[in-house]
Amino acid sequence: MLKQAAIITLLGMSSATFAGGWQVKVGASAIAPTADTTLVPGAIVEADDELAFTPSVEYFFGNTPFSAELLLAAPVGHDVLLNGDKVAKIKQLPPTLTAKYHFKNSTRFTPYIGVGGTAFIAWDEEGVAKDVKEDFGLAAQIGFNFQPADAKNWGVFADVRYADLSPEVTLDAATAAAVGKEKFDLDIDPIVYTIGYSYKF
């Protein structure tokens, strides 16, 4: 219910008619899963860290401190490790929509926070993972923009995001028979560290 309410709120904000501006951001991200899953006693499954190209588009609502940002990315491939050994690879798309508040001040640094929704859209799977379902979760964000003194539209940014994601994985028949379990939720819950450039229209 909480996830649905957050998504409905974000969609409502993004469809509102305000006279605002657009910003395009091009960043590089380190995606660090923070959770693991006990498949059976003594068998720990986890996704490894990955790097990704993560552009985004942001809309500012007039002269208010509010904006909405849609994070995009090329498909991200996670190696899946069983007790440290690679047993599968999962590719996914992680679109994330956040509503943001910018703390405007007299400096060229503008901190911001955001909250919203994210998705895990399975792109491909290899190894013992026979099938991976889409998943949806909450997302949180904190960061800052910095505009150099001689820059009119360009700037740099850095932020950190957290996503609540646990997609369901279906194992192949041989692995399912060996562990006595056909499906399980792969707890990923990544923290995403991003730096990059921005251009505001």
Side-chain angles (χ1 to χ4, degrees), residues 54-76:
T54 49
S56 63
V57 178
E58 186 170 6
Y59 181 76
F60 291 83
F61 297 100
N63 293 321
T64 74
F66 298 100
S67 70
E69 181 178 1
L70 176 62
L71 175 71
L72 306 169
V76 179

Side-chain angles (χ1 to χ4, degrees), residues 45-48 78-82 85-90 186:
V45 181
E46 60 186 341
D48 72 344
H78 290 283
D79 288 340
V80 179
L81 311 177
L82 173 61
D85 296 324
K86 178 181 175 181
V87 294
K89 189 177 185 68
I90 297 173
L186 177 62

Side-chain angles (χ1 to χ4, degrees), residues 5-92:
I7 293 172
I8 291 172
T9 300
L10 287 168
L11 291 176
M13 288 184 62
S14 63
S15 62
T17 55
F18 293 93
W22 293 91
Q23 179 170 257
V24 176
K25 300 166 72 174
V26 179
S29 298
I31 303 172
T34 64
D36 54 37
T37 304
T38 300
L39 187 59
V40 294
I44 306 299
V45 181
E46 60 186 341
D48 72 344
D49 297 350
E50 291 295 334
L51 299 176
F53 170 62
T54 49
S56 63
V57 178
E58 186 170 6
Y59 181 76
F60 291 83
F61 297 100
N63 293 321
T64 74
F66 298 100
S67 70
E69 181 178 1
L70 176 62
L71 175 71
L72 306 169
V76 179
H78 290 283
D79 288 340
V80 179
L81 311 177
L82 173 61
N83 293 338
D85 296 324
K86 178 181 175 181
V87 294
K89 189 177 185 68
I90 297 173
K91 291 184 180 179
Q92 55 107 356

Side-chain angles (χ1 to χ4, degrees), residues 178-195:
V179 301
K181 182 179 292 188
E182 181 184 5
K183 300 178 180 181
F184 71 98
D185 291 335
L186 177 62
D187 294 327
I188 301 177
D189 301 341
I191 293 179
V192 182
Y193 304 91
T194 305
I195 57 173

